[in-house]
Amino acid sequence: MSWQATVVTLFPDMFPGPLGQSLAGRALENGVWSCRTEDLREHGLGRHRAVDDTPFGGGAGMVIRPDVADAALAATQAGANIPRVYLTPRGRPLAQADVRRYAAGPGVMLLCGRFEGVDERFLQARGVEQVSIGDYVLSGGETAALVLLDACVRLLPGVMGSEQSGVEESFSDGLLEYPHYTRPAVWDGHEVPEVLLSGNHAAIARWRQAQAEETTRERRPDLWSAWLARKNGNRTEAV
Ligand code: 6GU
């Protein structure tokens, strides 16, 4: 059976969207994965198919009703064994470890929020994980869901070339990648770092490692601290 993405959303036309192109699109055509949507609106209540209501306790915005969300979830018939994920800026940050876990299983069920959010009782009672893709605010969970799916699909067997596993490994070793250069050797007066033209593979590997470490230290002090801690066998705050 292929890896199955099930997306509960008010905007089903946004899927597969950009994932219908390029490598993910090819994999979709080849049945490596599938993308089903469940339109939350179809489970709305009354003549206006209302999916939301005002928040208890007052305040701005509207909240997705738990009964409506649950009806949509039930309609997906997504197995209880597949992870349920609600995309929200309140969630824990999505990490490559999560992506690996999702990709290794049978699929994911993604709930895309709009408005202020989804009734917390539904999320708790139905075992829905809450995940964010970064510290900025999107207008809805749909684009975040596309990001999550892109990250998963590229890990599915046969989606990317054999070089893929290596590329993934270089991030999971905890450092940002070294910079890349190609022809021409001189462009607009700018030269390629000399070591890369030396043919000295050991020297190139050392240079790339040093570049990866320097870039990580400058741009991602959080990753750098974690990397140092791991390198030092997690002896606390030694460096
Ligand atoms: Cl998952 N949803 C929304 N609406 N905004 C976000 C996000 C998710 N992750 C970061 N910002």
Side-chain angles (χ1 to χ4, degrees):
M1 259 308 280
S2 73
W3 194 84
Q4 188 163 64
T6 303
V7 185
V8 176
T9 172
L10 285 166
F11 300 93
D13 291 350
M14 289 178 72
F15 297 87
L19 300 181
Q21 305 277 322
S22 191
L23 290 168
R26 184 93 35 85
L28 192 57
E29 282 167 16
N30 293 343
V32 173
W33 69 294
S34 64
C35 187
R36 306 180 358 174
T37 55
E38 186 64 38
D39 189 347
L40 192 61
R41 184 68 60 192
E42 289 182 9
H43 303 278
L45 305 174
R47 207 160 55 82
H48 296 105
R49 307 238 129 186
V51 299
D52 55 354
D53 207 331
T54 55
F56 280 127
M62 300 289 274
V63 179
I64 308 262
R65 294 173 54 116
D67 47 358
V68 172
D70 202 38
L73 175 64
T76 65
Q77 296 185 316
N81 57 328
I82 82 160
R84 299 168 172 178
V85 180
Y86 169 48
L87 285 312
T88 168
R90 290 190 64 232
R92 72 177 146 72
L94 179 69
Q96 190 65 20
D98 301 307
V99 172
R100 266 184 243 118
R101 170 168 58 88
Y102 299 146
V108 284
M109 194 290 297
L110 303 179
L111 173 60
C112 301
R114 288 267 155 174
F115 319 117
E116 292 310 302
V118 176
D119 188 289
E120 188 72 18
R121 293 167 297 176
F122 166 76
L123 302 172
Q124 297 290 328
R126 297 296 181 252
V128 182
E129 303 175 35
Q130 303 188 42
V131 167
S132 163
I133 64 160
D135 294 339
Y136 39 79
V137 180
L138 304 170
S139 52
E142 284 79 7
T143 49
L146 289 167
V147 166
L148 187 154
L149 290 176
D150 181 319
C152 291
V153 168
R154 65 181 286 283
L155 296 184
L156 299 178
V159 173
M160 290 195 62
S162 52
E163 75 276 20
Q164 172 245 303
S165 50
V167 171
E168 218 257 301
E169 228 168 357
S170 81
F171 188 78
S172 61
D173 82 354
L175 294 177
L176 302 181
E177 265 209 307
Y178 53 80
H180 305 281
Y181 301 87
T182 188
R183 280 175 285 280
V186 182
W187 169 76
D188 197 23
H190 304 279
E191 295 181 358
V192 163
E194 204 177 313
V195 64
L196 298 180
L197 308 177
S198 69
N200 182 340
H201 298 296
I204 291 170
R206 279 195 301 275
W207 181 86
R208 284 177 167 168
Q209 179 68 21
Q211 287 285 312
E213 293 178 16
E214 187 180 324
T215 304
T216 305
R217 183 171 50 76
E218 284 174 6
R219 298 181 186 173
R220 294 293 303 273
D222 56 331
L223 293 181
W224 180 243
S225 298
W227 187 83
L228 282 179
R230 192 136 37 89
K231 193 174 78 160
N232 295 313
N234 278 315
R235 293 190 304 273
T236 43
E237 312 295 314
V239 222

